[in-house]
Amino acid sequence: MIDRYQTEAMAEIWSERNKFQKWLDVEIAVCWGWADEGVIPREVCAEIEEKANFSISRIQEIEDKVNHDMIAFVSNVAENVGPSGRYLHLGLTSSDVLDTASSLLLKESLSVILGKLKTLSLKLLVLASEHKYTPCVGRTHGIHAEPTTFGLKLLNWHSQIQRDQDRILDAMEQISFGKLSGAVGTYAHCPPSLEERVCSRLGLKPDPVATQVIQRDRHSHVLNTLALLGCSLERFAVEIRHLQRTEVLEVLEPFGSEQKGSSAMPHKKNPIVSERITGMSRLLRSYAIAAMENVALWHERDISHSSAERIILPDACLALDYMIFIFSNVMRGLQVYPENMKTNI
């Protein structure tokens, strides 16, 4: 049975409310940055932080008129703040907030994925130890080759997940950058010192050389890392699918006592979860391609990346989080048949 609550943390990260909250976190951090620069009175910043709030329905109402989500957001927050709302968004362009907030969302998402990977890695290591001396057929080209052990097969998976963890850590490092360099990235309205203060407050680093946006090779690196992790899970899932075939039957996915395999043939035990992982991995690779297409923007920026990222960033994180979750369930309940392995030898 799938415990859907296990995937709610990632869903909350990419919720509309959390997206706007991250935008608000950036805006408030900028106000405090200006206060440190001596531009905004500190008591005004305290008032803004106390009163700043937003209503999703009100933002949508304003956006229907102005056709600009950031203007709608800032307008709604300013309504709640009152006269001091005039200090919001001071010196910023929309991408300063959007890109810095996106870095926060991706960093948070990667942290969740990393935590689940560590749990999965430990489970694989335990299973590998349990089956250290469980002999099975090694296959090359799908054909019987030399004997190996099922534990060695699982240890190989564990090793690959370790590399995936390293790649996730590197992706977190690559995306942990913000930018507040304003229109076309010239710092004409925001000094670099403000950017440093704000990024430090948010747990990010200033992008050393941005244009009007953070360059999309960073986001592409994240999406390619997620897609490669999806490839790892698919590789393991394909192995389970092969080993679950009737004529092999060396392992079996967990199968509920009331579960049915087919409307026409309910006796069947099909590897549906592993097949689901295979299909979703294909989706992740398509998102990685879209992310790479986003790298080549016109001049200092265009907006062609935006519509794609509204889909691929949350979707990739949500899909992979779910894939790790269901594959972990498979490994927890995997039925292993050592006698069938010996028979096949």
Side-chain angles (χ1 to χ4, degrees):
M1 180 181 292
I2 296 173
D3 182 359
R4 288 169 175 80
Y5 292 104
Q6 294 298 318
T7 59
E8 283 191 350
M10 187 66 78
E12 174 57 31
I13 290 173
W14 291 100
S15 68
E16 195 82 338
R17 175 157 295 280
N18 192 52
K19 178 190 78 173
F20 287 133
Q21 183 59 55
K22 289 295 187 291
W23 292 9
L24 187 58
D25 291 344
V26 175
E27 294 281 3
I28 291 174
V30 169
C31 288
W32 283 113
W34 280 123
D36 292 339
E37 295 280 331
V39 174
I40 298 178
R42 300 192 71 81
E43 60 272 18
V44 170
C45 285
E47 180 189 3
I48 290 173
E49 186 166 25
E50 179 185 354
K51 294 182 177 179
N53 205 346
F54 58 85
S55 162
I56 295 175
S57 60
R58 178 59 178 151
I59 292 170
Q60 292 170 342
E61 182 183 345
I62 299 172
E63 187 178 356
D64 287 341
K65 298 175 183 177
V66 301
N67 199 26
H68 195 292
D69 55 358
M70 183 57 64
I71 292 174
F73 168 76
V74 174
S75 298
N76 177 227
V77 175
E79 287 175 340
N80 293 317
V81 170
S84 295
R86 69 186 184 275
Y87 290 106
L88 287 166
H89 208 68
L90 183 63
L92 303 181
T93 189
S94 297
S95 293
D96 289 329
V97 179
L98 291 170
D99 282 9
T100 304
S102 289
S103 293
L104 293 172
L105 291 169
L106 286 169
K107 185 179 176 183
E108 194 173 343
S109 298
L110 291 172
S111 179
V112 169
I113 289 171
L114 186 62
K116 292 189 176 182
L117 272 187
K118 289 178 179 178
T119 302
L120 173 59
S121 177
L122 180 59
K123 179 60 181 175
L124 288 172
L125 189 60
V126 169
L127 279 174
S129 179
E130 288 177 5
H131 293 283
K132 184 176 182 179
Y133 298 112
T134 302
C136 67
V137 172
R139 297 172 176 88
T140 59
H141 306 273
I143 308 300
H144 283 208
E146 295 286 335
T148 183
T149 71
F150 190 61
L152 182 58
K153 190 188 296 283
L154 294 172
L155 189 64
N156 178 274
W157 296 4
H158 170 267
S159 179
Q160 187 161 341
I161 290 295
Q162 293 293 105
R163 295 193 296 277
D164 281 309
Q165 289 183 68
D166 291 341
R167 285 187 282 264
I168 291 291
L169 286 169
D170 183 56
M172 289 178 69
E173 176 68 21
Q174 289 286 328
I175 202 60
S176 293
F177 287 85
K179 65 87 58 182
L180 294 122
S181 51
V184 304
T186 60
Y187 295 101
H189 305 289
C190 296
S193 57
L194 175 78
E195 184 180 62
E196 290 175 9
R197 293 177 191 277
V198 173
C199 286
S200 177
R201 181 181 286 269
L202 295 170
L204 301 172
K205 292 168 285 188
D207 192 317
V209 186
T211 59
Q212 188 155 319
V213 295
I214 292 175
Q215 302 313 296
R216 261 42 198 178
D217 61 291
R218 294 190 185 277
H219 303 74
S220 179
H221 181 67
V222 172
L223 268 293
N224 275 274
T225 299
L226 298 184
L228 194 51
L229 173 51
C231 289
S232 295
L233 297 176
E234 182 186 14
R235 176 184 168 233
F236 310 154
V238 167
E239 181 73 13
I240 291 171
R241 289 168 59 193
H242 280 304
L243 297 181
Q244 187 163 329
R245 285 177 297 156
T246 307
E247 61 272 26
V248 178
L249 200 56
E250 294 184 359
V251 303
L252 194 69
E253 276 188 7
F255 200 86
S257 59
E258 298 183 25
Q259 185 175 341
K260 299 293 186 285
S262 164
S263 60
M265 301 163 286
H267 62 281
K268 293 186 68 184
K269 294 184 176 181
N270 301 322
I272 59 170
V273 178
S274 295
E275 289 171 339
R276 194 180 307 159
I277 290 169
T278 295
M280 294 180 76
S281 181
R282 296 168 185 168
L283 192 63
L284 283 176
R285 289 193 288 274
S286 74
Y287 289 161
I289 292 172
M292 287 187 283
E293 295 289 338
N294 283 344
V295 173
L297 302 178
W298 286 18
H299 307 297
E300 277 61 55
R301 67 82 66 107
D302 62 53
I303 203 172
S304 61
H305 65 287
S306 177
S307 54
E309 286 179 354
R310 289 168 191 259
I311 298 170
I312 64 175
L313 297 185
D315 243 30
C317 293
L318 287 161
L320 189 54
D321 181 63
Y322 176 70
M323 289 167 67
I324 297 170
F325 170 62
I326 60 174
F327 181 73
S328 297
N329 281 348
V330 168
M331 297 314 297
R332 274 194 294 271
L334 190 70
Q335 299 176 50
V336 182
Y337 299 109
E339 291 304 315
N340 288 356
M341 293 177 179
K342 289 180 182 179
T343 299
N344 287 337
I345 291 176

